[in-house]
Amino acid sequence: MKQLKLTGFIFLLCFLTESLTLPTQPQDVDNFNSTQKFIEENIEYITIIAFAQYVQEATFEEMEKLVKDMVEYKDRCMADKTLPECSKLPNNVLQEKICAMEGLPQKHNFSHCCSEVGDERRLCFFYNKKADVGFLPPFPTLDPEEKCQSYKSNRESLLNNFLYEVARRNPFVFAPTLLIVAAHFEEVAKSCCEEQNKVNCFQTRAIPVIQYLKAFSSYQKHVCGALLKFGTEVVHFIYIAVLSQKFPKIEFKELISLIEDISSNYDGCCEGDVVQCIRDTSKVMNHICSKQDSISSKIKECCEKKIPERGQCIINSNKDDRPKDLSLREAKFTDSENVCQERDADPDTFFAKFTFEYSRRHPDLSIPGLLRIVQIYKDLLRNCCNTENPPGCYRYAEDKFNETTEKSLKMIQQECKHFQNLGKDGLTYQYLIRLTKIAPQLSSEELVSLGEKMVTAFTTCCTLSEEFACVDNLVDLVLGELCGVNENRTINPAVDHCCKTNFAFRRPCFESLKADKTYVPPPFSQDLFTFHTDMCQSQNEELQRKTDRFLVNVVKLKHELTDEELQSLLTNLTNAVEKCCKAESPEVCFNEESPKIGN
């Protein structure tokens, strides 16, 4: 594969047509030629991402066969654009070719998707994606010296393999994000391979790349889950709140136009249509940059960057300054005599305006907090507008809003105090037990991951001045991950109720959950309490994950154990590892000590 031409994204993002039809305008000709060049040079990357996300179990060799097939398809269409196959949508072509690979649908259990056609096939491939990637082997790692040798001798294969491994483990991450991660990975490799201390360089420079991937993965899954479970209305309100806080001087009409572009972007991206996702993402960023004077003063430098760096820069930019003439509150939603009539005339626009006005006046609030206030306002008007004196009823709306915010604030302050008292390890212990008890049906890996992310929200936010919004936003992302992207995901009746009933009040719903009474523990297995010398070879972080998995599995098996009994089991495990790793024959020692851990 040739080097990834990020500059070529300008043309793919903006101008890649639904099919390979010929352009008619001079400007379109230039765009068309540039698009064909991009396809010729980078079709491999697009194919790798789509295939690895659709068929996560597929081998690298199987992926290479599809890449070869897609390159041949591209060459045929470049030679003769009138061929019938060249008028098809890119995503349809890809799925057809995946289904045509001999034995592959049966081998990886997606033949039922290949028996469908049109939208049914497209959605079937999407629903076949698995968020829990515990079935995949650990992410392959190379010694830095080996990595650099591989980069110098066979750069194409190393980058292809990296993108394949990342994409199959992140099936819901949008293509532009994965391509930025791949570009960053190459920058890290190029730089670190010139350093004397390669190990330290890779470890240090890989951290922001991993954090970038995790952050965008979590957010994209969260919004896609909202879209698929609650529909476009919820996504509209999420983005009205987000953009009103970020761009407080934007006009409402401009905001709604931008929201429409974003909603259409999420349709393609969430379903995994790589080409559509890339094109629509660019459309959103073009929209913002073409109106930057009326949208934000903070994005000028971002809009001078090339795509996709431009989008990344805009997303990471600071919130714009609040307009000086913006009043502290918008009285027309609580003081006007005609609130009910305005609501009834056009409910969608009315509540969108309320969300816009309230959000841009409260940049300190979390997005879930703003959505809860919108829901409270809707419920309040539903009640007040049926009374004899509606204005006398809804004029106290601000008190309701403040009460809701104050309640959420106190809860977060209490959680941060809890974190400060317990420390990171203590809080992890508490959350692993709580999450396992309310959702024991999840895999141990998934529960450990959710526990880590929940604790990260507190370690990241509890020392910041914007503690409230930070914690609430991050915890909401974790709950979004627990609920999953697919609308047909089920865990247990109580958790499913919280996930699907009310997006704005999902967190308060989870706070009230108790241990799942419907769960039937697995049969007892002595393997749970059997340990080997690999415990001695584990690094600190890996050893902690093994200990966390042990705790989760014990809670699944014996959810009635008290906190003291669980602490005793963990102490027994720690003592056994410490003793046996110092013994002359660690394996013999573990064989002797393992049965004692559960006693």
Side-chain angles (χ1 to χ4, degrees):
M1 183 191 297
K2 295 181 175 67
Q3 183 172 357
L4 176 63
K5 301 290 194 298
L6 292 179
T7 52
F9 263 78
I10 296 171
F11 305 101
L12 179 72
L13 294 178
C14 304
F15 309 113
L16 188 58
T17 53
E18 287 290 345
S19 59
L20 300 178
T21 51
L22 287 169
T24 55
Q25 301 300 320
Q27 184 180 358
D28 292 336
V29 171
D30 290 339
N31 296 332
F32 178 81
N33 291 337
S34 299
T35 300
Q36 302 318 308
K37 184 179 179 183
F38 176 87
I39 293 172
E40 184 179 348
E41 293 179 341
N42 294 303
I43 191 171
E44 296 97 326
Y45 278 102
I46 295 170
T47 304
I48 289 169
I49 291 172
F51 184 52
Q53 289 187 326
Y54 279 141
V55 192
Q56 295 159 267
E57 302 89 343
T59 65
F60 185 70
E61 290 70 29
E62 288 166 339
M63 183 273 297
E64 285 184 310
K65 288 179 184 175
L66 182 67
V67 168
K68 183 173 180 289
D69 199 7
M70 286 297 290
V71 170
E72 290 172 355
Y73 162 76
K74 176 262 300 181
D75 289 342
R76 286 197 301 275
C77 289
M78 291 298 102
D80 184 359
K81 300 172 183 64
T82 63
L83 292 172
E85 63 178 334
C86 301
S87 64
K88 296 178 181 178
L89 298 176
N91 201 53
N92 290 352
V93 172
L94 184 79
Q95 290 183 351
E96 283 177 11
K97 291 191 175 298
I98 291 173
C99 288
M101 293 178 74
E102 188 176 354
L104 195 77
Q106 294 76 23
K107 178 182 176 183
H108 298 306
N109 300 314
F110 63 91
S111 52
H112 58 291
C113 293
C114 296
S115 64
E116 303 283 358
V117 294
D119 289 346
E120 286 74 20
R121 175 185 283 185
R122 176 175 53 80
L123 288 173
C124 183
F125 267 99
F126 168 74
Y127 289 130
N128 207 48
K129 292 183 178 186
K130 303 168 190 69
D132 182 1
V133 294
F135 63 93
L136 294 176
F139 194 97
T141 55
L142 289 174
D143 172 82
E145 291 291 347
E146 289 180 68
K147 196 179 293 182
C148 290
Q149 188 58 44
S150 177
Y151 179 69
K152 290 173 183 174
S153 62
N154 198 343
R155 170 190 164 279
E156 292 177 17
S157 180
L158 178 72
L159 295 179
N160 288 358
N161 208 295
F162 172 80
L163 191 57
Y164 155 78
E165 295 289 0
V166 172
R168 70 200 289 234
R169 286 170 175 80
N170 296 275
F172 298 105
V173 174
F174 300 169
T177 303
L178 290 174
L179 288 162
I180 288 173
V181 168
H184 286 334
F185 170 74
E186 178 163 22
E187 287 172 8
V188 170
K190 195 180 292 183
S191 173
C192 290
C193 288
E194 300 299 321
E195 296 287 329
Q196 192 167 357
N197 190 344
K198 294 179 177 60
V199 174
N200 183 61
C201 181
F202 272 107
Q203 287 176 345
T204 304
R205 293 203 53 188
I207 290 172
V209 181
I210 294 168
Q211 289 175 336
Y212 171 85
L213 175 61
K214 285 182 176 180
F216 275 77
S217 170
S218 184
Y219 185 74
Q220 288 162 2
K221 283 190 286 188
H222 179 70
V223 179
C224 289
L227 174 66
L228 292 161
K229 288 183 175 69
F230 298 95
T232 55
E233 183 182 356
V234 166
V235 175
H236 280 173
F237 278 97
I238 289 173
Y239 273 98
I240 290 171
V242 169
L243 296 176
S244 299
Q245 281 191 330
K246 195 172 186 68
F247 306 136
K249 72 176 184 180
I250 192 173
E251 294 291 334
F252 178 72
K253 186 178 179 182
E254 188 62 56
L255 173 69
I256 294 305
S257 174
L258 185 54
I259 295 292
E260 288 169 359
D261 284 349
I262 289 173
S263 293
S264 123
N265 176 38
Y266 269 89
D267 284 341
C269 291
C270 288
E271 291 180 7
D273 187 333
V274 174
V275 171
Q276 183 75 19
C277 178
I278 293 171
R279 186 182 67 240
D280 288 344
T281 299
S282 176
K283 183 180 179 183
V284 171
M285 297 309 164
N286 284 342
H287 186 146
I288 292 172
C289 288
S290 68
K291 304 284 182 67
Q292 58 179 294
D293 290 341
S294 61
I295 291 178
S296 174
S297 61
K298 305 280 186 179
I299 58 173
K300 187 174 186 299
E301 290 184 5
C302 295
C303 291
E304 291 170 357
K305 293 181 181 290
K306 295 174 182 176
I307 294 173
E309 291 94 336
R310 180 171 63 173
Q312 182 183 9
C313 180
I314 291 172
I315 290 167
N316 293 331
S317 65
N318 293 327
K319 292 175 182 175
D320 205 355
D321 301 323
R322 176 175 158 161
K324 292 179 181 178
D325 59 348
L326 189 66
S327 60
L328 292 176
R329 59 185 287 266
E330 180 52 89
K332 69 179 181 183
F333 292 104
T334 54
D335 298 355
S336 169
E337 297 288 319
N338 304 315
V339 167
C340 294
Q341 292 90 325
E342 289 179 28
R343 180 204 66 167
D344 294 342
D346 188 350
D348 290 344
T349 301
F350 177 82
F351 287 115
K353 280 183 179 177
F354 170 77
T355 309
F356 163 67
E357 297 291 2
Y358 200 89
S359 300
R360 68 191 191 126
R361 285 170 168 79
H362 294 86
D364 54 319
L365 295 185
S366 66
I367 301 306
L370 290 167
L371 296 182
R372 287 193 284 271
I373 285 169
V374 173
Q375 186 63 52
I376 283 168
Y377 186 53
K378 285 183 177 181
D379 294 342
L380 181 70
L381 291 189
R382 189 179 299 118
N383 175 52
C384 290
C385 292
N386 288 320
T387 64
E388 290 183 3
N389 181 19
C393 177
Y394 58 66
R395 93 166 31 104
Y396 300 104
E398 285 285 351
D399 293 339
K400 293 274 188 188
F401 303 157
N402 294 337
E403 183 185 316
T404 303
T405 301
E406 196 62 36
K407 187 177 178 181
S408 299
L409 178 60
K410 283 182 180 176
M411 183 175 70
I412 287 167
Q413 287 173 335
Q414 188 176 356
E415 287 171 326
C416 282
K417 188 175 180 182
H418 200 45
F419 159 63
Q420 287 156 3
N421 292 336
L422 290 174
K424 183 180 176 181
D425 291 344
L427 194 66
T428 302
Y429 170 81
Q430 294 286 347
Y431 267 107
L432 287 176
I433 294 173
R434 172 157 172 68
L435 287 167
T436 304
K437 285 187 174 182
I438 67 172
Q441 294 82 0
L442 297 179
S443 71
S444 301
E445 280 295 334
E446 199 167 356
L447 286 164
V448 169
S449 175
L450 289 168
E452 287 176 351
K453 289 172 182 176
M454 192 68 83
V455 172
T456 297
F458 296 104
T459 57
T460 302
C461 302
C462 285
T463 56
L464 300 177
S465 57
E466 62 272 20
E467 169 185 281
F468 169 53
C470 181
V471 170
D472 209 25
N473 283 330
L474 290 188
V475 169
D476 199 53
L477 293 184
V478 179
L479 295 180
E481 194 156 330
L482 190 160
C483 291
V485 175
N486 292 344
E487 60 182 333
N488 57 359
R489 171 173 164 109
T490 60
I491 298 171
N492 61 55
V495 170
D496 293 348
H497 171 79
C498 289
C499 287
K500 297 175 182 178
T501 303
N502 189 311
F503 184 80
F505 283 89
R506 193 157 57 180
R507 190 175 180 210
C509 183
F510 271 102
E511 291 298 325
S512 66
L513 290 185
K514 307 294 182 188
D516 179 29
K517 302 288 187 190
T518 68
Y519 180 67
V520 179
F524 175 81
S525 171
Q526 187 58 45
D527 290 346
L528 176 59
F529 297 96
T530 302
F531 297 92
H532 302 283
T533 53
D534 62 320
M535 298 293 283
C536 304
Q537 294 150 5
S538 302
Q539 300 297 320
N540 289 341
E541 190 174 330
E542 187 184 352
L543 182 60
Q544 185 60 55
R545 283 189 74 86
K546 288 181 179 179
T547 305
D548 291 344
R549 279 196 296 270
F550 171 71
L551 174 62
V552 165
N553 287 327
V554 168
V555 175
K556 282 188 175 195
L557 186 67
K558 301 181 177 183
H559 61 270
E560 74 284 352
L561 289 180
T562 65
D563 189 56
E564 291 75 18
E565 289 170 324
L566 288 169
Q567 286 281 13
S568 177
L569 282 172
L570 287 179
T571 301
N572 291 345
L573 173 60
T574 302
N575 292 340
V577 171
E578 191 173 332
K579 177 182 177 181
C580 294
C581 290
K582 292 177 181 176
E584 287 187 20
S585 178
E587 191 64 33
V588 172
C589 177
F590 275 116
N591 289 338
E592 294 172 354
E593 294 296 320
S594 289
K596 302 175 187 176
I597 292 173
N599 297 329

